[in-house]
Amino acid sequence: MSVLVVGVMMFIAGVAELINAFQVKNWGKFFVWAPLGALYIVAGFVTFENHALAAAVLTLILGGSLVAAGIMRVILGFSMKRQTARFWLPTSGVITMLVGLLILARWPINSVYILGLFLGLDLIVAGASWIGISFRLRRTSIVSQALSPA
């Protein structure tokens, strides 16, 4: 199911890229945006046609991206000034890199469930953050004044 969501998003992004390509006034930018939009649309259709292949490719990209992001966080963390709290960024980088390596170690077997797991975790975290924001806004004086009877 999560592969279909990604496919729909890729298709919508491709249509938006094509619309943007025709609104650009520069031919050079047009020839960048238009093929990119077409590629997104084709990738969306491939996702609809072959769910297993799309899940495997997306999982591979996810694992590789997490490894690369983890390496960059470690490098950035050690390049920070000593006065900053530079312990947290490399720690986060190591954890991100390990998660990426775990995904790549079990690829393509884990392609069946890893995208849904990540999408589910993202939705849970996003929902919790919106609930936290709403509770915080409820406590502020601006919202309390707007909701109180006059």
Side-chain angles (χ1 to χ4, degrees):
M1 180 65 181
S2 60
V3 175
L4 288 177
V5 172
V6 171
V8 169
M9 292 297 119
M10 291 170 79
F11 181 78
I12 291 170
V15 170
E17 298 269 343
L18 281 177
I19 291 170
N20 188 35
F22 286 105
Q23 293 177 347
V24 173
K25 295 177 175 53
N26 185 344
W27 281 104
K29 290 182 181 179
F30 172 81
F31 287 114
V32 171
W33 288 103
L36 189 61
L39 183 64
Y40 269 111
I41 290 173
V42 168
F45 279 126
V46 169
T47 303
F48 299 145
E49 291 297 318
N50 193 343
H51 305 300
L53 176 64
V57 169
L58 290 172
T59 304
L60 181 65
I61 291 170
L62 176 67
S65 298
L66 288 173
V67 170
I71 291 170
M72 291 308 298
R73 285 182 188 165
V74 169
I75 292 170
L76 287 172
F78 285 120
S79 68
M80 293 173 67
K81 294 180 181 177
R82 289 201 182 277
Q83 292 81 12
T84 59
R86 64 182 202 164
F87 168 76
W88 293 109
L89 194 58
T91 303
S92 167
V94 168
I95 292 169
T96 302
M97 190 171 38
L98 288 175
V99 168
L101 289 172
L102 284 172
I103 290 171
L104 292 176
R106 298 281 300 161
W107 183 84
I109 297 166
N110 62 2
S111 301
V112 176
Y113 62 88
I114 203 75
L115 294 175
L117 175 70
F118 272 66
L119 181 62
L121 288 173
D122 179 58
L123 290 173
I124 290 169
V125 170
S129 67
W130 282 114
I131 291 170
I133 289 170
S134 68
F135 281 136
R136 180 71 180 151
L137 285 175
R138 189 173 177 196
R139 290 184 194 144
T140 62
S141 61
I142 296 171
V143 176
S144 296
Q145 290 172 359
L147 294 177
S148 64

